[in-house]
Structures are given as structure tokens and as C-alpha cells.
Amino acid sequence: MNFLTHLIGYAAAIREFVAPTYRPERYYMRGPGPACARRGTSLGAH
């Protein structure tokens, strides 16, 4: 069983190296959405 888990891990690493998955949520933060812009309030004002 331990050999199988290592083999699956190596296969996943090779697949990620050959064809990396692009996940923008890992790299970019979302800003305030259009609802916030419609309200016209700034984020700093309380």
C-alpha cells in the first residue's frame, strides 16, 4: 500500500510538471465587486 501511494504521488507530480493546472484563485485576490461600486462607499469609511 505504501508503494502505491508513493507511485500515485510521483504520477501526480509528473502530470503537474508536464501539464500544469492553472488556478487563478491561487495567485490573484479578488477586489470589491460591482455591488460595492454601485453603493459608492469606500472601503475605509465607516
Side-chain angles (χ1 to χ4, degrees):
M1 188 67 178
N2 195 14
F3 174 74
L4 183 59
T5 57
H6 284 290
L7 185 63
I8 291 171
Y10 290 139
I14 291 171
R15 182 187 50 107
E16 186 67 26
F17 180 75
V18 171
T21 54
Y22 178 68
R23 308 235 357 216
E25 64 271 11
R26 289 183 180 177
Y27 307 106
Y28 300 109
M29 291 181 61
R30 293 181 54 131
C36 183
R38 282 192 297 267
R39 283 195 302 262
T41 60
S42 64
L43 293 176
H46 290 290

